[in-house]
Structure formats: structure tokens, C-alpha cells
Amino acid sequence: MKDARTIVHRVLITEKGTELRERRNQYHFEVARDANKIEIKRAVETIFSVKVVDVRTMQQRGKEKRQGRFSGRRSDWKKAIVTLKPDQKIELFEQI
């Protein structure tokens, strides 16, 4: 089994994510591209000591970027939307 910190890379804080957190108790994370929903659920439960009800994932494609005449591409990544039980909260988000 993988370490929980290698599965969850970072927390995503956006306007849409803030609205979903307040209305539906859903949190956004950038996760490892090879992680599945079960691993993501266990990692979030381990790191933040909460109970996860549902995990939705999506593959995000990297954007094409240019700097002058040189073009490149950002790397692809995976996003997870995690729904917690109604009485659960992640304290990290409450401070923002």
C-alpha cells in the first residue's frame, strides 16, 4: 500500500471549490495520477481524520504554454472531489 502523503499531492482552493465546500461538504485535491478512488479515500481519511462518503475523480490535461517563440506543455494531472459525512469538516479549509 502506498503512503497517504504520496497519493494526495496538494489541496486545491478555488472559487468553485469554496462554494461546493459550503453547500455540499465537498473538498478538492490534486492526487497522484495512478491512484484509484479507494486509495484516495483511505489517504484522505488517514491524513485528515474524517469519514469519506464519496470520491469523484477526473483527469486534467496540461495546458499548452508559450514563452516567446518557444512552446511547451504543462504536465497532466488528476483531480479528486471528496464528499465527507455531513457532520465532518477539514480544519485546514476553515482557516482560509
Side-chain angles (χ1 to χ4, degrees), residues 30-69:
E30 180 182 338
V31 296
R33 290 185 63 204
D34 60 342
N36 60 33
K37 293 182 180 187
I38 297 167
E39 291 173 338
I40 295 168
K41 178 180 178 179
R42 287 183 185 149
V44 171
E45 288 178 345
T46 303
I47 294 170
F48 298 107
S49 301
V50 292
K51 292 292 180 185
V52 175
V53 175
D54 186 40
V55 176
R56 294 185 300 164
T57 60
M58 59 197 83
Q59 295 286 338
Q60 301 291 112
R61 295 201 48 189
K63 296 180 179 180
E64 288 282 336
K65 289 294 178 180
R66 289 180 52 106
Q67 186 164 6
R69 64 184 176 136

Side-chain angles (χ1 to χ4, degrees), residues 10 12 14 16-17 20 27-33 35 37 40 55-61 76-82:
R10 68 184 177 113
L12 299 176
T14 60
K16 183 178 181 180
L20 286 175
Y27 296 84
H28 292 83
F29 299 96
E30 180 182 338
V31 296
R33 290 185 63 204
K37 293 182 180 187
I40 295 168
V55 176
R56 294 185 300 164
T57 60
M58 59 197 83
Q59 295 286 338
Q60 301 291 112
R61 295 201 48 189
D76 298 340
W77 56 288
K78 189 173 192 175
K79 179 175 18 177
I81 301 174
V82 177

Side-chain angles (χ1 to χ4, degrees), residues 73-91:
R73 183 176 178 83
R74 289 187 182 166
S75 58
D76 298 340
W77 56 288
K78 189 173 192 175
K79 179 175 18 177
I81 301 174
V82 177
T83 305
L84 303 181
K85 286 190 174 183
D87 59 336
Q88 300 281 311
K89 290 197 183 292
I90 296 177
E91 295 300 321

